[in-house]
C-alpha cells in the first residue's frame, strides 16, 4: 500500500501509546481513522488531540475479546465513514511479568486472550469485509521481538506474540492473491502505557502467580519511559507497509542481521555444542549490558518486579 489518502483505518489500542502514534501518523497521511480502545479516558484524551487538528477520527470503546462487540464496532466504522476499513492495524496488547513456573491459568487466559485471540478476532471479522470491498488493503499487527526471543519472565506474552507472528505469516501468503498486504511490527521497548494494563484485567481473571502491585507498576513505567517514541514507531510501520514487508524490526538499522542472529540461536538449540555456546553467549551479553542505562534501571528493582507471589513456596527467588 502506497497511497493512504481517503482510506479508512481501524486501529486497536488507539487511545494511547503505540496505537495513538499510529492514529496520528496515518491521519496525517490522509486516512479517516477509527480508534478503538478499552479505556474511555484514553479515548477522550486522544479525541481532544484530534479535535484540535480537525482530523476525521472516530472513537469506539471496545473490549477486543468480546466478539459481538467487535463485530458491532466494525459495523459502526463502516456506518460512520461510509465504507469498510481497508487499513486494519491491531495494536492493543497487555503484559504482566513473573516466573514461568508461577503462571496461573488466568495469567494465560488474560494475556493470550488479548494478545493473540483478539488479533484472531480482528482477522476473522475484517478479512472477508476487505476482500469483498475489492479495492485491496493492508493488515498490520503489533507483535514483539519477544515473539521470536523467549523471555521466561513474561512467558504468556512471548507465547501469544509467537502465535501472532505465525498467524500473520499465514495470512501474508493467503491474502496476496486478493491484493491485500500483511505487515507485523516487532518492537522491543515502546514508550507506552502497557505497564498499566493490569488496570483493565477482568475480575474473573484476577488470580495471578506474579507479584503485581502499585510499586511494580510504577517500576515498569520507568522501564517503558526509555522506549521508542510512538510516532517514530508508527513511521517505521508506515514504511514497512509501503515496502510490503512481512516483519518490521524497528529497533535495528540492520534487521537482516537481527533476524540472522535469531535463526542462529535456533540452530544452536539442536546440538550439545550449540547449547554450550548459547550459555557462553548469554554470559557475555550480561557482562556487556552491566553498565548500560537500561541495566541501571533494572538494578533498582527493590520492589519485586518480575517475581512470583510471595506465598508460592515452590518458586525459587
Amino acid at each position: 500500500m502506497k497511497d493512504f489518502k481517503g482510506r479508512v483505518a481501524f486501529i486497536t489500542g488507539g487511545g494511547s501509546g503505540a496505537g495513538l502514534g499510529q492514529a496520528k501518523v496515518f491521519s496525517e497521511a490522509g486516512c479517516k481513522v477509527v480508534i478503538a480502545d478499552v479505556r474511555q479516558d484514553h479515548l477522550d484524551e486522544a479525541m481532544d488531540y484530534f479535535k484540535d487538528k480537525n482530523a476525521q477520527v472516530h472513537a469506539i470503546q471496545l473490549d477486543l475479546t468480546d466478539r459481538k462487540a467487535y463485530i458491532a464496532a466494525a459495523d459502526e466504522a463502516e456506518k460512520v465513514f461510509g465504507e469498510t476499513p481497508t487499513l486494519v492495524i491491531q495494536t492493543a496488547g497487555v503484559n504482566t511479568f513473573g516466573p514461568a513456573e508461577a503462571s496461573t491459568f488466568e495469567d494465560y487466559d488474560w494475556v493470550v486472550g488479548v494478545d493473540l485471540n483478539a488479533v484472531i478476532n480482528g482477522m476473522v471479522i475484517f478479512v472477508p469485509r476487505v476482500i469483498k470491498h475489492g479495492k485491496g488493503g493492508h493488515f498490520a499487527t503489533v507483535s514483539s521481538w519477544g515473539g521470536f526471543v523467549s523471555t521466561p519472565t513474561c512467558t504468556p506474552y512471548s507465547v501469544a506474540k509467537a502465535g501472532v507472528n505465525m498467524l500473520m505469516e499465514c495470512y501474508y501468503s493467503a491474502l496476496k492473491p486478493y491484493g491485500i498486504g500483511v505487515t507485523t511490527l516487532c518492537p522491543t521497548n515502546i514508550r507506552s502505557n502497557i505497564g498499566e494494563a493490569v488496570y483493565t484485567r477482568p475480575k474473573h481473571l484476577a488470580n495471578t502467580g506474579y507479584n503485581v502491585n502499585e510499586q511494580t507498576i510504577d517500576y515498569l513505567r520507568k522501564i517503558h519511559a526509555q522506549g521508542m517514541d510512538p510516532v517514530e514507531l508508527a513511521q517505521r510501520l508506515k514504511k514497512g507497509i509501503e515496502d510490503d514487508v512481512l516483519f518490521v524490526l524497528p529497533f535495528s538499522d540492520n534487521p537482516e542481521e537481527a533476524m540472522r542472529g535469531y535463526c542462529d540461536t535456533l540452530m544452536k538449540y539442536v546440538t550439545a555444542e550449540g547449547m554450550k555456546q548459547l550459555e557462553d553467549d548469554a554470559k557475555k551479553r550480561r557482562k556487556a549490558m552491566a553498565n548500560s542505562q537500561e541495566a541501571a534501571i533494572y538494578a533498582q528493582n527493590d520492589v519485586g518486579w518480575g517475581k512470583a507471589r510471595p506465598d508460592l513456596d515452590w518458586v525459587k527467588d
Side-chain angles (χ1 to χ4, degrees), residues 27-28 48-55:
S27 174
E28 290 173 1
D48 286 341
Y49 170 88
F50 288 114
K51 285 175 184 176
D52 289 341
K53 299 291 183 181
N54 198 30

Side-chain angles (χ1 to χ4, degrees), residues 88-101:
V88 179
I89 309 176
Q90 300 196 72
T91 303
V94 299
N95 200 0
T96 187
F97 293 85
E101 65 271 29

Side-chain angles (χ1 to χ4, degrees), residues 4 9 14 46 52 54 71 80 101 109 115 121 151 155 166 189 214 224 237 255 257 262 272 299 307 315:
F4 299 93
D52 289 341
N54 198 30
I71 292 169
V80 167
E101 65 271 29
D109 287 347
D115 291 353
N121 291 347
T151 309
T155 299
M166 182 55 69
N189 193 11
E214 288 301 322
H224 287 305
L237 173 61
E257 181 180 354
Y262 161 70
K307 303 294 184 181
V315 180

